[in-house]
Amino acid sequence: MKTKQKIIIAGPCAAESLKQVIGTAKGLKKRGIKIMRASLWKPRTKPGFEGVGEKGLPWIAKVTQMGITMATEVLFPEQVDQVVTGVIENGGDSDNLLFWIGSRNQNHKTQKEIANRVHKISKKIKLMIKNQPWRDESHWLGIVDHVLSTGLSSDRIILCHRGFSSGWSANPLGLRNIPDWEMSMSVREKTNLPMIIDPSHIGGTVENVFRIAKESALYNFDGAIVEVHPRPKKAKTDAKQQLTVSQLDDLLKIL
Ligand code: PEP
Ligand code: MN
């Protein structure tokens, strides 16, 4: 069943330090935002900073203690167990987690095993699925089928449109990825799952994040995931597209 209240997820692309994670969590809590994103492991186009990994587990445990759901990308099934164990060991609330399968993670066996572990390990942890990088509705629907085939209940699944690689199309606005509004609405209807928009990874720049958020408001999205950083210019990943918390306030008015 789709939700009526908008799902808002905000936070840095990557967890970088305790100060950054907790500082952001406090800002979100003040604004009543209930889900924070921050990845521990980052898939990268080129080798570089690949996330703080396990070192960040105590930080995200603290976020769950603040009553905020912690959303993070898992690249491998083992990382589901690793995060859950790490959060418990650090006194956090391991039910208060959301994992996501990123756009580049297109091995169906891996997707299925991630979903299977989420299903087995808790009755509450949610799973978000981002669309794959190339524009193909049947592949996108296939990921959902693979995930559902594990028995994971549909009320624990959220879909996310992060646009498609721009290789196929003119890109006059210089977007990082091109949205397909019709396809995302079609997938939403066919799966009957909530569909949120990721204006950060579609836009690629602060200006375009606002532009895409405005455009997305014409469609029936169930919420949004937005990258926010205390000092965007200093961010170790996706520095050009991360908003400050005060820019987030403006964006939320649009969404
Ligand atoms: C992200 O959310 O930071 C990310 C890596 O996104 P995507 O998988 O959509 O590229
Ligand atoms: Mn990012």
Side-chain angles (χ1 to χ4, degrees), residues 13 37 42-43 73 100 102-104 130 162 201 227 238:
C13 180
R37 63 157 289 152
K42 294 301 305 170
E73 175 171 1
W100 81 79
S103 67
R104 300 166 209 220
K130 285 189 150 199
R162 48 77 81 203
H201 291 87
E227 286 188 343
D238 289 351

Side-chain angles (χ1 to χ4, degrees), residues 31-253:
R31 286 160 177 83
I33 294 171
K34 297 189 179 74
I35 315 177
M36 171 166 155
R37 63 157 289 152
S39 292
L40 300 176
W41 296 281
K42 294 301 305 170
R44 300 304 304 275
T45 306
K46 290 185 183 147
F49 172 72
E50 291 183 358
V52 296
E54 282 173 70
K55 192 179 147 198
L57 290 171
W59 313 341
I60 67 170
K62 280 208 167 57
V63 175
T64 65
Q65 286 168 343
M66 293 168 68
I68 294 177
T69 300
M70 191 64 229
T72 200
E73 175 171 1
V74 281
L75 307 177
F76 303 109
E78 303 76 51
Q79 290 171 340
V80 170
D81 305 67
Q82 222 178 333
V83 173
V84 168
T85 308
V87 166
I88 294 171
E89 282 174 1
N90 287 283
D93 175 4
S94 65
D95 277 335
N96 215 357
L97 292 168
L98 180 155
F99 292 114
W100 81 79
I101 298 172
S103 67
R104 300 166 209 220
N105 204 349
Q106 293 308 319
N107 180 324
H108 291 318
K109 276 207 180 282
T110 306
Q111 294 166 346
K112 231 158 105 170
E113 188 51 27
I114 288 172
N116 189 39
R117 296 206 187 193
V118 170
H119 176 47
K120 296 272 159 66
I121 215 161
S122 142
K123 287 196 166 60
K124 297 211 173 128
I125 297 176
K126 296 211 162 31
L127 183 67
M128 182 167 84
I129 305 171
K130 285 189 150 199
N131 65 261
Q132 76 285 352
W134 64 95
R135 187 168 170 242
D136 178 348
E137 181 172 337
S138 66
H139 182 95
W140 194 356
L141 291 168
I143 311 170
V144 178
D145 285 341
H146 282 292
V147 163
L148 286 171
S149 74
T150 64
L152 181 68
S153 163
S154 59
D155 59 7
R156 293 169 61 190
I157 304 173
I158 299 168
L159 304 183
C160 172
H161 186 37
R162 48 77 81 203
F164 295 112
S165 170
S166 60
W168 51 276
S169 159
N171 186 7
L173 296 176
L175 297 175
R176 182 169 174 187
N177 291 289
I178 310 288
D180 187 329
W181 305 115
E182 281 71 31
M183 193 193 293
S184 55
M185 289 299 108
S186 162
V187 171
R188 180 180 183 270
E189 286 316 307
K190 285 176 181 156
T191 59
N192 199 32
L193 292 169
M195 174 74 70
I196 68 170
I197 183 81
D198 179 345
S200 304
H201 291 87
I202 293 175
T205 63
V206 170
E207 193 191 344
N208 278 338
V209 171
F210 278 89
R211 196 196 303 262
I212 291 300
K214 271 186 204 131
E215 221 176 300
S216 76
L218 303 170
Y219 298 87
N220 213 357
F221 284 97
D222 300 280
I225 178 166
V226 183
E227 286 188 343
V228 176
H229 194 283
R231 290 190 301 164
K233 287 200 177 96
K234 294 258 150 92
K236 290 191 171 151
T237 56
D238 289 351
K240 279 195 276 184
Q241 69 195 31
Q242 303 209 52
L243 308 188
T244 61
V245 198
S246 73
Q247 286 171 325
L248 175 67
D249 286 335
D250 296 334
L251 194 84
L252 289 176
K253 285 177 204 142

